Amino acid sequence: MTERTPRRPFGYWLKRVDEALTAAIDRAQAAHGLSRTEWQVLEALAQSGGLPRRELAELLSPFADPGRFDQIVDGLVRRGLIEGTSEGRLLSLSGEGKRLHRSALDTQRALRLRAFEGVTEAEFTTTMSVLQRVVENLSR
């Protein structure tokens, strides 16, 4: 940063990071036919082994409002990537969903490495801790 470059506030950088992440994930996952939020749905279901629709919506609420979330999930169901949409059943990845997730996970891992290039483990840990404390402070 030069002397002539204005210092940006905390919120500016948070917004820019989120925008940059969304754009980079959308570009990277486009090869798999996925958006950032679609990727997050597949990842959440892969990590959990399955979730009720309501819990999945709550988990991903920072990334998609309820109406958009329903559209995303319904689109993944129509594509045959998610199953278990009957009342009371857990949403889970289909066989095709598991295959696509494995392939998309490799892409996501490569993107994470690029995103955090030059960031030490200590810097990452400190950043995560600070962000968590800010959220906790503002949530009181």
Side-chain angles (χ1 to χ4, degrees):
M1 183 183 315
T2 67
E3 280 186 39
R4 293 187 339 205
T5 304
R7 290 181 52 94
R8 302 290 186 169
F10 183 76
Y12 171 87
W13 291 112
L14 289 176
K15 185 77 169 161
R16 290 297 311 274
V17 166
D18 185 55
E19 291 168 350
L21 277 171
T22 296
I25 294 169
D26 283 348
R27 281 191 308 272
Q29 293 298 348
H32 304 287
L34 298 171
S35 68
R36 178 185 186 183
T37 309
E38 289 169 328
W39 156 252
Q40 290 168 317
V41 169
L42 295 185
E43 175 68 357
L45 293 176
Q47 290 291 321
S48 66
L51 289 168
R53 189 179 189 114
R54 179 185 47 64
E55 285 183 36
L56 182 61
E58 188 176 304
L59 179 67
L60 297 178
S61 65
F63 304 100
D65 65 57
R68 177 136 165 70
F69 171 80
D70 287 337
Q71 290 174 350
I72 290 166
V73 169
D74 292 344
L76 293 171
V77 169
R78 281 192 299 279
R79 290 170 59 188
L81 302 173
I82 295 177
E83 54 193 17
T85 57
S86 302
E87 188 64 36
R89 293 195 52 211
L90 297 180
L91 293 176
S92 61
L93 296 179
S94 66
E96 180 62 20
K98 289 175 184 175
R99 185 205 61 74
L100 181 62
H101 174 262
R102 281 190 299 273
S103 179
L105 181 58
D106 290 338
T107 299
Q108 197 66 19
R109 285 178 176 151
L111 179 61
R112 286 180 191 142
L113 287 174
R114 188 179 64 154
F116 292 102
E117 189 176 324
V119 177
T120 68
E121 186 67 31
E123 289 170 326
F124 180 83
T125 300
T126 298
T127 300
M128 297 303 286
S129 177
V130 168
L131 291 173
Q132 182 178 350
R133 274 185 273 146
V134 169
V135 169
E136 289 167 357
N137 291 342
L138 295 174
S139 296
R140 280 189 260 139

